[in-house]
Amino acid sequence: MSAGFNSSGRLPAAFTTPGMSSFTEFLSQAAPELLPGRRTLPAGTHDIAPHATTIVSLTFSGGVVMAGDRRATMGNLIASRDIEKVHPADPYSLVGIAGTAGVGLELMRLFQVELQHYEKIEGAMLSLDGKANRLATMIRNNLGAAMQGLAVIPLFAGFDLDASDPAKAGRIFSFDVAGGLYEEHGYDAIGSGSLFAKSALKKTYRPGLDAQAAANLAVAALYDAADDDTATGGPDVIRKIFPVVMTATAEGTNRLSDAETGAMAEAVLAERRNEPTV
Amino acid sequence: MAMQFYASPEQIMRDRSEYARKGIARGRSVVVLTYAGGVLFVAENISTTLHKVSEIYDRIGFAAVGRYNEFENLRSAGVRMADLRGYSYDRRDVTGRALASAYAQTLGSIFSEQGKPYEVEICVAEVGATAAKDELYRLTYDGSVQDEPGFMAMGGQAEAIGNVLRAEHSESHSFEDALKLAVKALASVGGEGGNSRNIAAEQLEVAVLDRARKGRTFRRVLGPALATLLPAKAAAAPAEPAKPAGASEEAANGAAANGDPGTTPPKTNGKGNGPAK
């Protein structure tokens, strides 16, 4: 491909077609081999690639927080101890991935370019619902690969710039493998440890938290998930590897520093040390 | 049966050039110049939504004069090319030089193959790690490309505007000084009887590629943030030329003292380009 020039050196027609503001649509014309959903896969490819696990997200007054553990597994092995599964999708939204790590990271990169591409071409950002719908379409296009064992499920959360009440502008969207899009209220989790993380949040979450309290709950929920799910990594105090915690507010996205997440993880550990549950 | 007239290739090319040049000269001008903190774009543009200056990629900006539909077409092609490159390789592998050469090829083949040339002139600017590594490329309707030395003017009376820039431009200018110079250059032509004139903040489109920022460096300077930076020339426009100039300089210095360009990045509207990731 790669810049897609033809023999005269002139940019081909796909580049100059007016009225197309989607990067994926453009790729499907200019370089379809770069799209994740277009590959033909042999049958029976189970457990060949690392899997990413638990992501939690919860809303607070004025935004939303998302946190992910740092483990990727391949069968019974730990494939990575420090993978990062929560990323900013654009200046006001976050995306976390669970499932096949390689496909998930590729999808997320494509989604980031997609949002930025739209913003540059149109001169305005997509609405938060528009972004979520776009991501749902991308997941739907991956259905073929998902059926072959390369499933990926994202969690999407962001600050809605069009919200009438800024306190309730933090919103969370979850997806299913067929591209279904569901808005979640309050909190949600995805991945192998999501059952345990959601159970923890069910007891601890309440509306109107502040950002710090919400981040603390997220880290504690990940701890609970790691407690009961082998594929979810707990805080690694030896190597100083702690969950990735990000927030999206009116000021934009922010990743908490390692020092901050380390302190939060230590606080959870200290609390459990005093009152160990069975 | 219609009579076939012979026209020499030289004549055809000359006619096309003249046609394109006339179209470009009708438009209002754009100035691009480097300063200590990055690259500054200043365009005379009354529209707030139809931009002459825009973002292509992390460190690359685009400015154009001429027919809007034609340069808008080239702009989106540039965004597509940059995003495709950045997606298939890495964000650092998207360069202004590659984009300029793709534009040159495209404009060149349109000029020689199509009946009507594009009536546009384009600047592709890339901000480098240091002022010495900033790149400005001028692309004209026939596909020729030039590497410009730190400043350039395009559009009607570009020559006269360029002369003002040449006399005073310096890479070490602060943002305020560079903006003042750009506005002075744009205002140096088009007044009554060949004199200079006033340009209000609402008539300007200002954007920067901010060297200090990580990721996307392109920022628009809009509304009140722009108005406070411009010399507050009162309504008394066509009065004695010496006095308002002195007064305006004082006003500008006051504004410069308030906002140090090194520490406070130019304010933006926040909606289009939010905080950097």
Side-chain angles (χ1 to χ4, degrees):
Chain A
M1 73 103 239
S2 150
F5 290 103
N6 59 16
S7 54
S8 79
R10 179 177 169 176
L11 287 165
F15 284 78
T16 48
T17 312
M20 187 169 61
S21 38
S22 163
F23 184 67
T24 14
E25 265 170 51
F26 165 67
L27 267 193
S28 70
Q29 291 177 26
E33 72 281 2
L34 289 178
L35 281 176
R38 294 294 184 94
R39 290 162 202 142
T40 47
L41 298 162
T45 49
H46 287 274
D47 267 348
I48 54 158
H51 276 64
T53 49
T54 315
I55 310 286
V56 299
S57 182
L58 51 157
T59 58
F60 59 85
S61 177
V64 62
V65 62
M66 187 182 281
D69 74 307
R70 304 291 291 271
R71 184 172 288 179
T73 57
M74 212 160 112
N76 63 320
L77 296 178
I78 292 173
S80 170
R81 291 178 210 286
D82 59 355
I83 185 174
E84 295 183 359
K85 297 178 280 192
V86 176
H87 292 261
D90 75 345
Y92 293 99
S93 61
L94 306 168
V95 61
I97 48 135
T100 312
V103 183
L105 293 173
E106 182 187 18
L107 208 71
M108 194 188 58
R109 237 179 112 225
L110 182 59
F111 184 54
Q112 287 173 331
V113 178
E114 173 84 17
L115 297 185
Q116 199 185 101
H117 188 80
Y118 182 93
E119 186 191 326
K120 285 192 286 194
I121 297 265
E122 295 290 321
M125 270 189 184
L126 274 170
S127 65
L128 193 66
D129 299 85
K131 294 174 198 170
N133 274 324
R134 198 64 227 171
L135 186 54
T137 309
M138 290 165 71
I139 299 299
R140 198 170 297 131
N141 289 340
N142 194 49
L143 184 59
M147 306 277 281
Q148 307 278 348
L150 296 176
V152 55
I153 301 285
L155 188 62
F156 179 69
F159 182 86
D160 192 348
L161 290 165
D162 305 319
S164 51
D165 179 6
K168 291 180 183 160
R171 295 169 70 192
I172 303 172
F173 298 89
S174 71
F175 303 82
D176 67 28
V177 77
L181 169 66
Y182 313 95
E183 178 159 7
E184 304 291 339
H185 297 282
Y187 62 90
D188 195 39
I190 54 164
S192 60
S194 61
L195 183 64
F196 309 108
K198 264 201 267 195
S199 304
L201 288 173
K202 195 176 194 172
K203 296 291 177 198
T204 51
Y205 175 81
R206 57 193 191 284
L209 294 164
D210 65 24
Q212 185 58 49
N216 285 336
L217 285 189
V219 172
L222 283 177
Y223 182 90
D224 284 320
D227 208 17
D228 285 315
D229 173 36
T230 52
T232 303
D236 190 338
V237 289
I238 309 293
R239 296 187 187 82
K240 305 272 179 238
I241 300 171
F242 302 109
V244 174
V245 183
M246 294 196 73
T247 59
T249 60
E251 281 84 53
T253 61
N254 174 41
R255 180 174 166 171
L256 273 62
S257 68
D258 280 351
E260 285 171 293
T261 53
M264 284 152 57
E266 295 283 2
V268 173
L269 288 173
E271 191 190 325
R272 301 294 158 103
R273 207 172 284 133
N274 294 336
E275 268 183 63
T277 43
V278 181
Chain B
M1 196 175 144
M3 185 92 113
Q4 295 286 317
F5 290 104
Y6 173 75
S8 69
E10 289 90 344
Q11 187 61 43
I12 293 171
M13 292 303 165
R14 250 199 315 274
D15 287 354
R16 284 184 187 171
S17 295
E18 199 175 321
Y19 177 81
R21 263 196 224 113
K22 271 187 190 160
I24 294 163
R26 270 196 296 272
R28 292 164 195 260
S29 307
V30 175
V31 161
V32 185
L33 66 164
T34 60
Y35 69 100
V39 178
L40 171 69
F41 302 88
V42 181
E44 226 184 305
N45 188 356
I46 34 180
S47 169
T48 52
T49 47
L50 304 174
H51 297 302
K52 286 183 170 180
V53 175
S54 19
E55 172 186 18
I56 296 280
Y57 210 64
D58 289 356
R59 305 187 76 79
I60 303 172
F62 172 97
V65 293
R67 283 181 81 95
Y68 180 78
N69 67 324
E70 292 174 346
F71 69 68
E72 173 64 13
N73 188 267
L74 289 170
R75 181 189 74 90
S76 37
V79 171
R80 284 173 188 149
M81 181 189 154
D83 278 345
L84 177 57
R85 285 229 162 171
Y87 182 67
S88 11
Y89 304 126
D90 186 78
R91 296 194 80 89
R92 283 172 300 173
D93 298 315
V94 180
T95 59
R97 202 202 58 79
L99 187 68
S101 91
Y103 278 149
Q105 298 285 352
T106 304
L107 283 168
S109 66
I110 288 169
F111 181 75
S112 54
E113 288 163 19
Q114 288 185 4
K116 175 199 158 316
Y118 271 17
E119 298 158 68
V120 295
E121 192 164 333
I122 289 173
C123 165
V124 171
E126 179 174 0
V127 63
T130 60
K133 287 186 178 160
D134 289 341
E135 292 169 18
L136 298 184
Y137 297 99
R138 181 201 295 271
L139 293 133
T140 48
Y141 55 87
D142 60 352
S144 58
V145 51
Q146 289 158 36
D147 193 354
E148 295 284 337
F151 63 88
M152 61 182 279
M154 306 183 289
Q157 294 175 286
E159 192 105 338
I161 296 173
N163 287 338
V164 176
L165 294 174
R166 187 170 297 114
E168 294 185 36
H169 173 259
S170 156
E171 280 177 358
S172 55
H173 270 165
S174 69
F175 174 69
E176 280 80 5
D177 288 344
L179 182 61
K180 224 187 336 173
L181 170 59
V183 175
K184 180 183 164 192
L186 285 174
S188 67
V189 295
E192 275 175 56
N195 292 322
S196 63
R197 65 204 158 104
N198 283 338
I199 305 177
E202 303 81 63
Q203 292 172 298
L204 288 173
E205 183 184 350
V206 178
V208 292
L209 293 170
D210 188 344
R211 199 189 310 285
R213 276 182 190 267
K214 283 193 175 136
R216 294 166 73 183
T217 57
F218 186 87
R219 291 292 175 275
R220 292 189 188 281
V221 186
L222 301 161
L226 176 60
T228 56
L229 289 167
L230 286 178
K233 280 185 186 169
E240 211 177 302
K243 188 142 191 248
S248 71
E249 239 166 52
E250 271 171 34
N253 288 340
N258 291 337
D260 177 13
T263 53
T264 48
K267 289 195 184 87
T268 65
N269 66 344
K271 185 139 191 183
N273 292 308
K277 303 187 227 181

